Amino acid sequence: MAQSFEVPNGHSVEEHDLERTLNPYVTGTSVIGLKYKDGIILAADTGGSYGSTLRYKSVERIKPIGKHSLLGASGEISDFQEILKYLDELIIYDNMWDDGNSLGPKEVHNYLNRVMYNRRNKFDPLWNSLVLGGVKNGQKYLGVVNMIGTHFEDDHVATGFGNHLARPILRAEWHADLSFEEAVKLVEKCLLVLLYRDRSAINKFQLAKITEEGTTIYPRYSLKTFWGFSAFQNPTKGAVGSW
Amino acid sequence: MESLHDAPHSMGTTIIGVTYDGGVVLGADSRTSTGMYVANRASDKITQLTDNVYVCRSGSAADSQIVSDYVRYFLEQHTIQLGEPATVKVAANLVRLLSYQNKNMLQTGLIVGGWDKHEGGQIYSVPLGGTILKEPFTIGGSGSTYLYGFFDQAWKEGMSKEEAEKLVVKAVSLAIARDGASGGVVRTVIINADGVTRNFYTGDTLPLWHEELEAHNSLLDILSSDSPVPMST
């Protein structure tokens, strides 16, 4: 199980471990994506947790990729930063052809799938769940791929806790051709539930949209939370003890 | 699900990096421990990478030292090739490269801070795993757990050099009070356009916190002073 210390541009002889599944350190929580009339909306909070500590509060987990895609990531932030570097190389290579063509969201999703699955096969995963959304030539595309290589496309997707809390809401309330306003309201409904019920969620969000025209990443913002249920006032009235 | 995994190991030390209007202040405690024994009570955890960039080291002493040595080596060559001082961003990214590519083997969290003529004072956090994040201020090491609340309340944008250093010294001192793995003296390094200043604050210059008592040479000094007041707990 010998390894060598990897040095940039060094001539180190790498002998990979026989087993190498690691633990994540700095992690991002859920990402939500949905298709609407003009394109795709992606949303995530800007938290980077370090175990149970909410250590970093301004982490950008949604980034534009090339002209036609947006990538949102949950999981280990260092692996996401590395994936962005791979995608950077991919897009630069694509641009170097200078042939008027550019990689669309479907191609980028496929590339990510190959990377994630191949790393999984070597027991050396990139510890992320990724949401890839985009529009090219009027065609909207929204897909997910995760650390074990599971991938699919759908009209609405989520990662992490979002799978359990956001997707049921999306299944009930999503419909084709949502207006931008309706889509934002729907996403915010999901974000709020996650804020209430996901311990690693923080109240600072990044919302991004991508349409045929291009990408817009909105300034970070927070949502109002509601605590005014009468049942919350005195939940244990009449009970012996306070439970 | 991510939540099923253990929290990362916390690391002996308190380290801090803070930007102010014109530069950065780096701070650290001075305790190096092997288990329960304090191997070095006056260590210097703020290590030079170039004339204008320093790194605060936490976690495994060996790992943080080797990373610093490699980065210093690369930066020296890079500076010669570039023909001007290396930028803080490059230094921080070299630290990230080593931390990320060797994430299985390394147990070190680092704070890179410095000043360059392009971007002024900058602080980069490189925790376990090799994430890199540029921050206006950041804290690290096992002692930092006691400082999140403190910084949430006490940090403000646009501090002066004096205010920033005072904040750092106060913070390290508070962490030392509660974290067994942090102790000794408070070292600070201030980096700006004018250069680098190293400072050193011993226990007697720091304020006393809750349940801490003023230091004396001997009980006899207390007894022999004016009117001996009976002790009460």
Side-chain angles (χ1 to χ4, degrees), chain A residues 6 20 55-56 79 81, chain B residues 96 100 102 104 125 132 139:
Chain A
E6 286 192 43
R20 213 200 95 133
R55 187 170 183 182
Y56 299 106
D79 286 344
Q81 291 178 338
Chain B
R96 178 206 91 94
Y100 183 76
N102 298 286
N104 300 321
S125 177
I132 184 168
I139 57 182

Side-chain angles (χ1 to χ4, degrees), chain A residues 28-44:
Chain A
T29 187
S30 322
V31 179
I32 306 171
L34 55 74
K35 286 186 187 168
Y36 75 107
K37 181 157 60 87
D38 307 323
I40 318 284
I41 284 186
L42 250 62

Side-chain angles (χ1 to χ4, degrees), chain A residues 3-8 20 22-23 25-26 50-51 53 55-56 76-79 81-82 85 126-127, chain B residues 5 8 70 74 96-98 100-106 125 127-133 135 139-140 148:
Chain A
Q3 279 183 302
S4 64
F5 191 68
E6 286 192 43
V7 151
R20 213 200 95 133
L22 12 89
N23 302 115
Y25 293 106
V26 182
Y50 190 73
T53 303
R55 187 170 183 182
Y56 299 106
E76 170 66 42
I77 301 296
S78 65
D79 286 344
Q81 291 178 338
E82 191 74 358
K85 285 191 192 291
L126 290 161
W127 206 283
Chain B
H5 300 287
Y70 269 114
F74 290 126
R96 178 206 91 94
L97 259 178
L98 287 168
Y100 183 76
Q101 287 176 354
N102 298 286
K103 62 160 79 190
N104 300 321
M105 290 188 281
L106 295 173
S125 177
L128 250 45
T131 308
I132 184 168
L133 290 164
E135 307 267 304
I139 57 182
Y148 286 99

Side-chain angles (χ1 to χ4, degrees), chain B residues 55-90:
Chain B
V55 62
C56 294
R57 301 180 292 108
S58 75
S60 158
D63 288 351
S64 64
Q65 284 170 3
I66 202 77
V67 169
S68 305
D69 281 345
Y70 269 114
V71 174
R72 192 179 315 116
Y73 165 70
F74 290 126
L75 282 175
E76 210 174 300
Q77 296 182 350
H78 172 69
T79 303
I80 291 167
Q81 289 171 342
L82 194 64
E84 56 179 59
T87 58
V88 187
K89 192 174 196 164
V90 166

Side-chain angles (χ1 to χ4, degrees), chain B residues 11-43:
Chain B
M11 300 174 288
T13 289
T14 306
I15 50 173
I16 302 178
V18 145
T19 58
Y20 71 90
D21 185 23
V24 299
V25 180
L26 300 175
D29 73 308
S30 71
R31 176 172 286 187
T32 303
S33 20
T34 48
M36 285 281 140
Y37 177 68
V38 178
N40 185 351
R41 64 182 172 102
S43 3

Side-chain angles (χ1 to χ4, degrees), chain A residues 13 17 24-25 64 87 97 114 117 154 165 183 192 194 231 233 239:
Chain A
V13 175
D17 275 23
Y25 293 106
L87 288 174
W97 284 101
R114 289 294 104 218
Y117 184 62
D154 208 343
L165 299 175
L192 207 52
L194 288 167
Q233 305 279 52

